[in-house]
Amino acid sequence: MLDRLLIRSRAVPSDPPKRRGATTLGASRDRFGLLKAVLAAVPWGQALMGAGVVLLAALVPWGTSQMLSAMDRQVMAIDVTGALVGENRTDLERSAGKWVGRSFFATDLSDIKETLEQRPWVESAAVKRIWPDRLQIEIREKKPLAYWNSDRLVSRNGEVFAPANPEVAGRLPRLAGPDERVKEVISMAQTMASTLTGHNLGFAGLNLEQRGAWTLTLANGIEVVLGRDQVEERFERFITVYQERLASRSDEVSRVDARYSNGVAVQWKSAETASRSKS
C-alpha cells in the first residue's frame, strides 16, 4: 500500500532544459530569412543594367576625348567665300590667318566669327570646320542703302557704318541728318522716292538739319526746300507745281522753296548756266 502511494506521489518531471544557444540560432535563422527575402525582391536585371548605363556614361566622354586627341591636328588653311564688294578677300584671309596652326577641334569658331564681324563691311560671318585641317568662312556683307553725312554709309537695316572705302558703294542717294534720327530720314526718303518715281522724277538725296528743316534733292539737281512744318503737304504742292509749270523748264531751275502757303518760289539758273545745260 505504501509502495503504491509512493509511486503515485512521485513528482512529475518538469520539461527538459532547453539547450544553450537555441534562442540565438532561431534569431539568426530569422535574420537570414529576411535577408534572403530582401535579396529575392531586388530586380537584379534592372540594377545591373543601370550600373552599366552609369559606367558607359562615365566612359563615353573619356573615350571621345581620347579619340579626338588622336584625330586632332593643326589648322593648315582658311578659305574665305562670299560675294565681296567692300571687303578685300586677301585682307580677310590675313585677318583670319592668326588661327592657322591652332588645334582643329579646340579652336573656338565663335571667336573667329566675333572677330570678323567687327569689320565695318561684314554683316555676318559663318565659320565651319572642313576635315581634316581647314576652316571655311562665309562672309555676308552689309548692303549699303545710301551715303550718310558724306563720309559714311547707312545699310538697308538702318545701321550707320564707316568703312575706309565708302566710295566702292557706287552711285547711291545721299542722306544727311543727326545720327539718332537716321531711321526717320530713311523712312521719309523712301516715301518721297516712291512718289517721285510715280511722276517720272529721280530721287538723289534728303537732308534733315539739326533744327528740323528738310531739303530734298532731285536726280536732275533741283533742290526743294520743305522746312520743318507740314512737310508732306509742301512736298505734294511742289509735285503739283512742278508737273504743271516747271517740268518743261527743269534744266533752268536751280532751287524751289515750297515753304509758302499758296505756292512756291523758284530760283532760276543763270542764263550762262542754263545755256550750258542745254548744250
Side-chain angles (χ1 to χ4, degrees):
M1 185 68 177
L2 183 59
D3 293 339
R4 194 176 293 174
L5 290 173
L6 289 174
I7 293 173
R8 289 181 179 178
S9 63
R10 184 179 300 170
V12 178
S14 60
D15 294 336
K18 296 180 179 180
R19 295 181 180 178
R20 183 178 297 175
T23 301
T24 304
L25 180 59
S28 299
R29 288 178 178 177
D30 289 342
R31 284 198 295 270
F32 284 127
L34 179 60
L35 178 60
K36 290 179 180 180
V38 171
L39 294 177
V42 173
W44 290 105
Q46 295 179 11
L48 291 174
M49 182 180 297
V53 169
V54 172
L55 180 60
L56 182 62
L59 290 176
V60 165
W62 178 83
T64 302
S65 175
Q66 294 299 312
M67 181 181 69
L68 292 179
S69 297
M71 296 173 62
D72 198 11
R73 58 187 65 193
Q74 292 182 342
V75 174
M76 299 303 296
I78 297 178
D79 302 321
V80 177
T81 64
L84 303 180
V85 176
E87 278 290 354
N88 181 281
R89 195 176 304 276
T90 302
D91 288 345
L92 281 170
E93 291 174 347
R94 186 180 299 114
S95 177
K98 65 180 182 180
W99 282 277
V100 172
R102 299 191 182 184
S103 165
F104 180 77
F105 288 113
T107 296
D108 188 353
L109 301 188
S110 63
D111 187 23
I112 304 176
K113 173 182 172 67
E114 181 179 351
T115 298
L116 294 177
E117 289 179 351
Q118 292 176 359
R119 298 174 66 91
W121 276 104
V122 177
E123 177 74 24
S124 65
V127 188
K128 64 180 180 180
R129 296 179 176 88
I130 304 295
W131 174 259
D133 56 7
R134 306 177 76 85
L135 298 179
Q136 185 180 81
I137 302 173
E138 183 178 0
I139 297 295
R140 187 175 68 177
E141 286 189 337
K142 295 170 184 174
K143 303 296 183 183
L145 176 69
Y147 291 98
W148 179 254
N149 289 335
S150 301
D151 59 343
R152 291 178 290 169
L153 294 168
V154 58
S155 72
R156 295 177 185 177
N157 295 329
E159 178 185 354
V160 176
F161 61 105
N165 55 343
E167 69 283 352
V168 301
R171 296 185 60 182
L172 292 173
R174 294 187 176 274
L175 306 180
D179 286 354
E180 64 272 13
R181 300 183 68 178
V182 60
K183 292 188 177 180
E184 181 182 353
V185 175
I186 291 174
S187 178
M188 182 71 79
Q190 291 174 334
T191 299
M192 291 183 175
S194 177
T195 302
L196 291 171
T197 300
H199 291 86
N200 297 317
L201 290 170
F203 174 87
L206 183 64
N207 177 54
L208 173 62
E209 298 178 9
Q210 191 68 40
R211 60 188 180 88
W214 297 85
T215 301
L216 168 68
T217 304
L218 305 184
N220 58 14
I222 296 176
E223 286 189 352
V224 184
V225 181
L226 299 169
R228 292 179 295 176
D229 305 317
Q230 302 176 341
V231 176
E232 291 81 2
E233 292 83 347
R234 291 171 178 177
F235 175 67
E236 292 294 338
R237 186 187 309 126
F238 159 74
I239 293 292
T240 300
V241 173
Y242 183 89
Q243 294 286 49
E244 295 178 354
R245 302 289 186 87
L246 302 177
S248 60
R249 303 179 61 186
S250 60
D251 56 349
E252 301 176 43
V253 179
S254 173
R255 183 183 178 94
V256 176
D257 191 339
R259 292 176 293 179
Y260 297 88
S261 58
N262 297 321
V264 301
V266 180
Q267 179 180 334
W268 302 93
K269 296 177 182 177
S270 64
E272 181 182 355
T273 304
S275 63
R276 189 183 306 120
S277 64
K278 290 180 180 179
S279 61

